[in-house]
Amino acid sequence: MKTAEIAQRYLDYFEKNDHTIVPSASLVTDDPSLLFTVAGMVPFIPYLTGVVPAPYPRAADVQKCIRTNDIEEVGHTARHGTFFQMLGNWSFGDYFKEGAISYAWELLTSSESEGGLGFAERDLWVTVYQDDDEAAELWQKIAGLPVERIQRLGREDNYWSTGQPGPAGPCSEIYFDRGPAYGREGGPAVDDNRFTEIWNLVFMQYAITNVRSKIDFDIIGDLPAKNIDTGMGLERVAFIKQGVDNMYETDQVRPVLDRAVELSGRRYGADHEDDVRFRVIADHVRSSLMLLSDGVTPANDGRGYILRRLMRRSVRAMRLLGVDAPTFPELFAASRDAMKDAYPVVETDWQRISQYAVAEEETFLRTLAAGSTILDLAVEDTKKTGGSTLSGPEAFLLHDTYGFPIDLTLEIAEEAGLSVDRAAFDSLMLEQRNRAKADAKSRKRAFADQSVYRDFRAHGETVFTGYTDLETESRVLGVLVDGVSVDRARTGQVAEVILAETALYAESGGQVADKGVIVGPGYEADVLDVQKPVPGLISHTVQITTGEVAVGEPATTVVDAANRRAARQAHSATHLVHAALRDTLGKSATQAGSLNRAGYLRFDFSWGQSLSPQTRSEIEEIANNAVRDNLEVTTRVLPLDQARELGAVALFGEKYGDTVRMVDIGGPWSRELCAGTHVSTSAEVGLINLVGESSVGAANRRVEALVGLDAFRDLAAERAIVSQLTSSLKTPRDQLPARIAELTASLKAAEKRIAQFEARALADRVPQLANTATTAGRVRVVAQSIGAASSADDVRSLALQIRDRMGEGPAVVALGATLGERATVVVATNDGARAAGAKAGALAKVAAAALGGGGGGRDDVAQGGGTDAGALGAALDAVAAELAAQGE
């Protein structure tokens, strides 16, 4: 049974049983405590916690998920995957334990001809929470399971909570017995490899508080409404129904594995380590494809870092399989073909997805080449000093700064006959993980804080009137100070104010929040920020300037009209620039993010190379021509499917409801889904001035522009500069470029002549400095300060000239100089000195330590430096002392 068929049977069954079928939410979640949708219940959290009223009493879905906390297990077990699909059915105060158990058992055990999944009853086991007698009795009553196939487990295994105060409850898990070939008898309590969990039924019925750990908390009573939250792993059911050993061999994953086998020339099933690598590649390529399809792009932090890590682990695995050439074009195409029936977007958006994938692989292959060079030097230095272990900090630097995998470092070091100080490396990695955990914990607290909005959201959605009005009368539904609901806030306090209606725009879709005030009887408050902390609710962060704001009081929101006008100009200009980019570069130049505020816009788009000045000018001209043409700007609210049929452009990764707002500028020329505020005609934008274009990652570019009066002011400033130049240089404006080029050439020639004079002056000092040589240990040494120097290269050149003048006997030259506020020391050794044990790199480190800095280099020439220029004499003395000690 194909994976897609299993999913469809699930949805068909629950639709027949009066469940609303909900499409999968994006892998990118709004939950501030999470980077991704890590479980099927994440999109339903607002309903399960009661913060937002559920729009339906019961629902079912197939939810895309990404989870990387067990990434090291991928490829080693049958069931661990970073991307997975969770089949879920949900009840919000409707049916409870009996209904959930009945539905699960019927679907699992009904024959395939009846639309079920056809599991044999004898192969199914269940676990229940140790004190949940009700669930155990229902399993006997509904399924007829014998007591020995109903196992009771503790809170660690069979109790669900968010890890925060709020809803919780016991759960019951359904397991499939894979047979004696996979492990011991005795049920899931004994062996969870043989007995594979396929479905978890959560009975959300209690409220908990004082959460001290996953298993240590206080139950304070029943929830007002009991909910059902279930999740059945689609990949787990698929590998069982398809008769294969693991999820990597199912129909949606195996094609990537097979293509990796073909590219590597190795056989799957012949070697355990190779098999793990093949499975890692199959999993990670599919996960990366799905993340890219939901708008995530490779980056060095956040979601983009997780994607980059998955992609780079895939490249690394292919390299360990002996493939150094690019493979993503073929691997990603294989995953696309396997997934396109379930997720058509991977095919319709293939050009953009493949562009990012290919660019990231090319970038990482260059990184590997650079990292290999750095590692080779580190190996060489370690061997030269007689060491046998590569330091942990060097391995960590390669991993953290260059993205060079530790496994690759270990492999190359081993080939060179060296080990790696893994304990030091692991210690540094632990420090980094602890920092990441602290950051995640701070994000997790944000989720806990959302519960404070439940009562306010229960009044319904906040009505936004700002599309048509700049002032709106309302009433205060709630006041929060420091995250706590209070009845009032007083003069000087910063508070959150919740209103029934507002004319103030909450930050979203790239448009920053409105500025303005909230006024009422005897009070006034400056608006600092406007956000949507939970879906459908708008919160105003304000500072009370006069009086006090109290719950129940009238309130009028007043928008700063000038700021709103400029923000509308910038947002509409963003749409014009987007349309101009697509006109110029083609439809593959898709939006990857934007920011617009009064007078300014920033627009990110997928493109693999910088824009030429001519292309920038063309984009700017097209956008300004649209302004000149005074195109009508219209908005429509319509079903999402209809908007897409009309060609509306959507932002990748953005989440849209069934009904959307579509903004047209000039009809279909610019047609986008957008909830922002806009001008009524394009002429109101005024002027668009592109002021910057840059890279923001592989295959991602950014343009920046000033809009309206800000654009005019910038051009006026440039005009003033040009006028000043024409006056100072006594040159007509059209001849300025040639005149400046002439002056630049003259300046370079003068600088070259000055450098020649300085080099000659330094060379003249060679005999004098060479004559200062003294004996230290077994070598002759020149250790002198030459005062201020224009560059370190000059000091290096002088040191080498002195070394050559000193003849063939063991000689060391250490020259100190000041470069601005810093001090530098260059050390040069000849063959005789090195034979006597004098290494330039080690001596440079000695000097740098005295200067409060660092240094090193090759054995023949090296450099060190620091900020303590006053210690230059001491640094040179330290070099001489070190040489003397070596001669003892």
Side-chain angles (χ1 to χ4, degrees), residues 67 72 129 133 144 184-185 195 240 358 427 478 562 607 622 738 832:
R67 191 181 297 168
E72 300 300 335
Y129 178 54
D133 296 334
R184 297 175 293 166
E185 297 279 358
F195 298 88
I240 292 169
V358 169
S427 176
W607 196 249
I622 291 172

Side-chain angles (χ1 to χ4, degrees), residues 375-386:
L375 180 56
D376 289 344
L377 289 173
V379 168
E380 182 182 345
D381 288 345
T382 303
K383 284 187 166 184
K384 280 184 178 179
T385 59

Side-chain angles (χ1 to χ4, degrees), residues 228-378:
I228 287 294
D229 156 14
T230 85
M232 180 160 68
L234 179 54
E235 280 75 14
R236 295 188 183 190
V237 175
F239 82 69
I240 292 169
K241 294 299 294 181
Q242 292 172 23
V244 295
D245 283 342
N246 53 65
M247 62 164 287
Y248 316 102
E249 298 174 17
T250 59
D251 61 303
Q252 287 187 343
V253 188
R254 182 67 187 247
V256 182
L257 189 153
D258 289 339
R259 192 71 193 103
V261 167
E262 293 171 11
L263 292 169
S264 69
R266 302 192 187 186
R267 186 169 65 85
Y268 182 61
D271 178 84
H272 173 71
E273 291 301 321
D274 282 354
D275 288 353
V276 170
R277 291 164 187 150
F278 283 128
R279 293 194 286 261
V280 165
I281 293 162
D283 171 84
H284 286 8
V285 165
R286 183 172 77 140
S287 299
S288 301
L289 174 80
M290 300 308 298
L291 283 170
L292 285 165
S293 73
D294 269 1
V296 182
T297 56
N300 288 329
D301 56 9
R303 298 180 177 94
Y305 173 75
I306 300 296
L307 171 59
R308 172 161 284 167
R309 185 183 182 202
L310 292 169
M311 297 173 83
R312 292 187 169 191
R313 279 172 59 91
S314 303
V315 174
R316 181 194 69 183
M318 286 302 298
R319 186 187 187 284
L320 294 174
L321 288 167
V323 183
D324 295 327
T327 60
F328 276 8
E330 296 189 58
L331 294 175
F332 271 78
S335 189
R336 173 202 63 197
D337 294 342
M339 298 300 294
K340 65 184 181 182
D341 289 341
Y343 302 98
V345 66
V346 301
E347 183 172 41
T348 58
D349 195 26
W350 173 245
Q351 184 175 2
R352 185 188 67 87
I353 292 171
S354 60
Q355 185 178 13
Y356 279 113
V358 169
E360 181 63 21
E361 183 178 34
E362 290 175 349
T363 298
F364 187 47
L365 288 174
R366 289 195 297 270
T367 295
L368 286 177
S372 296
T373 301
I374 294 167
L375 180 56
D376 289 344
L377 289 173

Side-chain angles (χ1 to χ4, degrees), residues 401-429:
T401 303
Y402 297 98
F404 204 77
I406 182 61
D407 290 355
L408 218 49
T409 300
L410 292 168
E411 176 191 341
I412 293 172
E414 185 179 359
E415 289 171 356
L418 300 177
S419 60
V420 176
D421 187 348
R422 189 62 189 265
F425 174 85
D426 289 342
S427 176
L428 291 167
M429 282 296 296

Side-chain angles (χ1 to χ4, degrees), residues 99-168:
I101 290 171
S102 298
Y103 287 139
W105 189 253
E106 182 178 28
L107 176 59
L108 284 173
T109 59
S110 294
S111 68
E112 293 182 12
S113 62
E114 295 173 320
L117 295 176
F119 281 92
E121 295 184 10
R122 66 178 180 276
D123 293 331
L124 300 177
W125 290 60
V126 300
T127 62
V128 298
Y129 178 54
Q130 59 190 11
D131 297 331
D132 194 352
D133 296 334
E134 180 187 7
E137 291 169 4
L138 284 169
W139 277 114
Q140 293 177 64
K141 170 187 169 185
I142 295 166
L145 282 173
V147 174
E148 61 270 18
R149 295 228 310 271
I150 304 172
Q151 296 188 322
R152 295 177 183 252
L153 300 176
R155 283 187 176 182
E156 182 72 31
D157 299 292
N158 277 69
Y159 210 96
W160 177 89
S161 77
T162 64
Q164 302 291 325

